[in-house]
Amino acid sequence: MEKAVVRHYVNRGGQLPVKPTIIPGFDADTDVLIIDEPELSRKDLVFEQDGDNTLVRLADSFMILASLENVDAIDLDPLPFLKELYKALQENDIEEILSFLAEDVLWEMGGPQDLIPWAGAWDGKAGVRQFFQLQKEGLAFEKLNPTRFVAQGNTVAVVLEGSGEARTGKAFSGSVVHWVIVKNGRISQLQCYRDTFPIIEAMQGGRPFTIAANGFGSAHYTNKSVTSPRTTDSIVFDEAIFDNAPATVKSARAMYGALQGFKPEDIRKAFAPSVVWHMFGPRDIIAWSGERIGPIAAVESAKQIIETMRFDRFKAVRMLYQDNVAAVLIDEPGVSKASGLPFHTSVVHIVVVNEDGKVASIHNHVNTAEIVEAFLGGRPYTVN
């Protein structure tokens, strides 16, 4: 049974505590610490390790608000920790990367495992080491540059710009999202969401190329859904947030509601006049892919999706939000209407909302390799 959210309170009487509130049993995956001071923000807090416990204090004083027993401070403030990880990743320092991981870490990347051998689920540090070894054998190099962190408690969506070169000499590029969960001061799970089709194309030496018949679907790995009963940050300053979603969440929900029922007028209302709608994939094969500017072009792309794909479900399983940005994790199994062949993808949308509450941009981080295969009628298929 999934654990319910547990709320821990500090300063319910309207005054800061003289002595720190001692909080045992705090679970960074699910629990929320409510500090009853709406004028404060995370920037006003410092999280300090004190033996096995984490002290929460005001940044401009020595006043300690709470002591969380048997909690690692990194679980409450993972960004400095993760920024060091990405320095090691940029330097391709595998031993340093492994030092950030839990012994039982789960590392996942969606994609066709027979075409991209490092796609799949990798258990433990030994599995992650194998992931990097297989990647090294397939690629001459890859660079990942983090451009945005969307953090909510111990879960962070990291947006990266990726580029690299296959052993064939062909280059590839594209945006990537890492969905990262930190537990007990180490990374317990990392999922990679990216379009692997450009990597496949580069590894095949560019177009034209043919993919042999190895059995449709059997080798495609889909990242497992990551859910949580906690929909807010692990630190909340106003309890009303549990019943009143912030503007960013409301705007994102309005857009998804309009898209699910395909209500063109409501979709257009959800978008800013110059909205950037970017769906991954090769545009000559998948008509709805590519970047579109403006509500009319975005609606046309959404219409093409509905006309060419039938979804068994379109389920947002988790949303992280920070300020005006939401990272939305979606599970999408379905069928290509053209061929009748199935596909199953997991997706991360990065949604940016403007000051008027309109969606200013949405970038769809989806592995389209299996969708391309379904659209082309399964294996063998040729890309010209």
Side-chain angles (χ1 to χ4, degrees):
M1 179 179 294
E2 198 172 65
K3 182 179 177 182
V5 175
V6 177
R7 307 182 191 187
H8 302 271
Y9 295 91
V10 171
N11 185 31
R12 292 301 294 160
Q15 294 181 346
L16 292 173
V18 176
K19 294 183 179 180
T21 303
I22 307 300
I23 300 175
F26 187 91
D27 187 329
D29 283 333
T30 59
D31 293 354
V32 174
L33 177 64
I34 299 174
I35 300 175
D36 191 20
E37 290 288 335
E39 69 274 15
L40 295 179
S41 71
R42 261 186 170 267
K43 296 177 181 179
D44 299 308
L45 303 180
V46 173
F47 303 94
E48 294 180 342
Q49 199 69 46
D50 181 31
D52 294 332
N53 306 329
T54 291
L55 302 180
V56 182
R57 70 170 177 84
L58 293 178
D60 59 355
S61 77
F62 294 103
M63 180 175 289
I64 298 173
L65 304 181
S67 175
L68 280 59
E69 296 185 340
N70 298 310
V71 173
D72 198 297
I74 292 173
D75 294 8
L76 296 177
D77 186 23
L79 288 190
F81 173 77
L82 289 181
K83 288 177 181 179
E84 290 300 314
L85 164 71
Y86 284 99
K87 285 183 182 178
L89 195 62
Q90 288 176 309
E91 295 168 0
N92 197 33
D93 188 338
I94 304 304
E95 295 305 318
E96 181 69 9
I97 293 169
L98 294 176
S99 73
F100 288 85
L101 310 182
E103 293 297 331
D104 60 350
V105 64
L106 175 61
W107 187 287
E108 296 178 87
M109 176 175 148
Q113 293 171 274
D114 59 333
L115 302 179
I116 302 179
W118 59 96
W122 304 93
D123 295 314
K125 291 186 178 182
V128 176
R129 189 187 298 276
Q130 186 179 3
F131 167 91
F132 281 110
Q133 179 59 39
L134 291 171
Q135 186 181 68
K136 182 179 179 181
E137 293 171 4
L139 302 180
F141 72 90
E142 180 181 39
K143 294 181 180 179
L144 292 174
N145 179 43
T147 59
R148 188 192 297 272
F149 294 83
V150 184
Q152 205 172 89
N154 68 332
T155 305
V156 185
V158 185
V159 184
L160 308 107
E161 284 303 317
S163 61
E165 186 177 291
R167 294 291 177 186
T168 62
K170 296 293 183 179
F172 62 89
S173 63
S175 184
V176 181
V177 169
H178 285 172
W179 194 277
V180 187
I181 300 174
V182 177
K183 184 73 171 177
N184 299 323
R186 291 291 180 269
I187 293 169
S188 64
Q189 186 169 2
L190 185 149
Q191 295 183 321
C192 179
Y193 291 86
R194 70 184 309 167
D195 183 8
T196 58
F197 185 81
I199 300 177
I200 294 170
E201 190 169 357
M203 291 178 69
Q204 296 294 323
R207 301 189 185 190
F209 64 88
T210 298
I211 300 300
N214 289 333
F216 176 83
S218 61
H220 287 273
Y221 182 80
T222 302
N223 291 339
K224 301 298 184 288
S225 297
V226 178
T227 61
S228 171
R230 177 168 57 76
T231 58
T232 67
D233 192 5
S234 56
I235 307 292
V236 172
F237 300 93
D238 183 358
E239 190 178 7
I241 197 170
F242 286 99
D243 301 313
N244 298 289
T248 299
V249 175
K250 289 180 180 178
S251 298
R253 287 176 178 171
M255 178 189 68
Y256 286 117
L259 287 170
Q260 285 181 308
F262 193 68
K263 304 169 184 175
E265 186 57 34
D266 290 344
I267 297 173
R268 284 191 286 269
K269 288 180 181 178
F271 288 142
S274 58
V275 63
V276 177
W277 168 281
H278 192 174
M279 300 289 110
F280 287 6
R283 194 163 180 177
D284 59 328
I285 300 174
I286 303 175
W288 42 261
S289 65
E291 184 177 273
R292 315 293 175 91
I293 307 296
I296 294 175
V299 169
E300 178 60 28
S301 175
K303 180 182 177 183
Q304 290 173 324
I305 293 174
I306 298 299
E307 290 175 345
T308 58
M309 304 167 69
R310 187 189 77 241
F311 294 106
D312 298 332
R313 64 177 177 273
F314 178 87
K315 183 180 181 182
V317 296
R318 185 84 192 269
M319 180 187 295
L320 307 179
Y321 64 90
Q322 186 176 9
D323 300 325
N324 68 325
V325 182
V328 188
L329 180 58
I330 300 170
D331 187 43
E332 289 183 344
V335 173
S336 163
K337 290 183 179 180
S339 67
L341 291 175
F343 60 85
H344 190 180
T345 64
S346 53
V347 184
V348 172
H349 289 170
I350 300 297
V351 182
V352 178
V353 177
N354 68 14
E355 59 185 11
D356 297 322
K358 304 293 185 180
V359 173
S361 67
I362 175 170
H363 286 75
N364 178 47
H365 296 77
V366 56
N367 167 36
T368 61
E370 190 175 3
I371 298 175
V372 167
E373 190 168 320
F375 271 45
L376 294 178
R379 301 186 187 185
Y381 66 83
T382 299
V383 179
N384 293 309

